[in-house]
Amino acid sequence: MTTLDSSTAWSSATRMVAANRDVLAPIAGVFFFLPGLIGAIFVPAPAVQSGMNEAQMIDAMQSYYAGSLPLLILLSLIPMAGMLTMLVAMIDASRPTIGEAIRRSFRALPAYFAGQLLVALALTPAVLLIVGLLGAVLPAALAVAIAMAVLLWPVMRTMLIGPILASGRERSPIAAIRESMRLTRGNSGRMLAFIGLAGFLFLVVYGLVMMVVGVVLVLVSGGEPQRVLAEAISGVLIAAAYTYFVAILAAIHEQLAGPDATPASTFG
């Protein structure tokens, strides 16, 4: 069993981003930035307002998903394809072109989507059970928080499904789940600390940048242009952060899988 070295993984992640920036930048723009901006502008937020009771909130959420679900599914599949495209570009030492990386990612996308769906279907009953049991003796918010904390362990164990499928080592979603469980055995805590720290640092930087951006935009614009500009700047930051997150996954996979991480061009 390989023990994750987060310092080495971070160095590998930054190296991957630097070495592939000419490929990663347009991928991030097309698959992360644009869908996020389209969703922020054209998908209305749920009509949940303060003072609503539980039944009204549920009705508002149901109406939101009934009207927006097809677009939401599309806008979630595009970033998935983008993540796989980035992983192919980072993992494959032959440095495929953007077109080659996209073709391979789209062939891996059904298996990746199925793998994520299987994980979600397996975890949902467990979360509901935990919330139900704890909700009998604890406040609902605390019960949900504890259930989400417990959920982090299986999420970390299945975090490498994407890199495994992008590397071409597996085609089956079930095989990819099993392989992710094998590679992450004994490392879920280290992965959580590593990814959690990176996420926390991003939130700090994001909050500071958006605070400054908000002040500037208030001074130079207003109304809908101000909102669009704010969403665009936010989208750029999130696309950059997601690029580094994908690089972190690729680096963790590279370290834990060892020499076997070399892609077999199964999807080529």
Side-chain angles (χ1 to χ4, degrees):
M1 182 182 71
T2 304
T3 300
L4 177 67
D5 184 333
S6 57
S7 177
T8 301
W10 174 249
S11 297
S12 297
T14 55
R15 171 180 53 79
M16 289 177 183
V17 173
N20 298 281
R21 58 182 178 274
D22 55 332
V23 174
L24 299 180
I27 294 173
V30 172
F31 289 94
F32 301 150
F33 172 74
L34 286 179
L37 187 60
I38 291 171
I41 294 175
F42 296 106
V43 179
V48 177
Q49 303 173 358
S50 59
M52 283 185 169
N53 57 37
E54 185 176 348
Q56 290 172 327
M57 292 177 65
I58 292 174
D59 287 340
M61 294 302 296
Q62 287 178 340
S63 299
Y64 170 73
Y65 283 110
S68 305
L69 189 59
L71 184 56
L72 288 173
I73 292 175
L74 177 62
L75 292 177
S76 65
L77 286 174
I78 293 173
M80 284 185 184
M83 186 197 73
L84 291 170
T85 303
M86 281 189 171
L87 286 169
V88 171
M90 293 179 190
I91 291 173
D92 194 335
S94 67
R95 301 194 66 179
T97 64
I98 294 178
E100 291 169 347
I102 290 174
R103 283 193 294 272
R104 286 172 56 182
S105 71
F106 270 79
R107 288 170 184 160
L109 182 59
Y112 179 74
F113 181 79
Q116 295 299 320
L117 184 61
L118 288 172
V119 171
L121 291 175
L123 295 182
T124 299
V127 172
L128 294 177
L129 177 62
I130 294 172
V131 171
L133 293 175
L134 294 179
V137 295
L138 296 174
L142 182 57
V144 172
I146 293 174
M148 292 298 102
V150 173
L151 188 66
L152 290 174
W153 181 81
V155 167
M156 290 299 110
R157 294 298 305 275
T158 56
M159 187 68 78
L160 298 184
I161 294 174
I164 290 166
L165 290 171
S167 71
R169 296 171 60 206
E170 299 289 352
R171 282 189 175 185
S172 162
I174 296 176
I177 292 171
R178 282 201 296 258
E179 180 66 2
S180 179
M181 296 285 286
R182 184 185 71 83
L183 292 177
T184 58
R185 185 179 299 116
N187 286 293
S188 52
R190 293 181 181 86
M191 290 175 60
L192 177 60
F194 179 29
I195 295 173
L197 178 59
F200 173 76
L201 291 176
F202 164 71
L203 290 176
V204 172
V205 173
Y206 178 84
L208 292 174
V209 172
M210 292 307 297
M211 182 173 63
V212 174
V213 167
V215 172
V216 173
L217 290 179
V218 166
L219 296 175
V220 301
S221 65
E224 187 64 13
Q226 177 183 328
R227 186 178 80 87
V228 173
L229 284 172
E231 293 290 355
I233 295 170
S234 173
V236 169
L237 294 174
I238 292 174
Y242 203 69
T243 298
Y244 274 91
F245 169 71
V246 176
I248 286 173
L249 291 184
I252 292 174
H253 172 261
E254 177 186 64
Q255 188 178 138
L256 297 183
D260 293 335
T262 303
S265 298
T266 304
F267 296 105

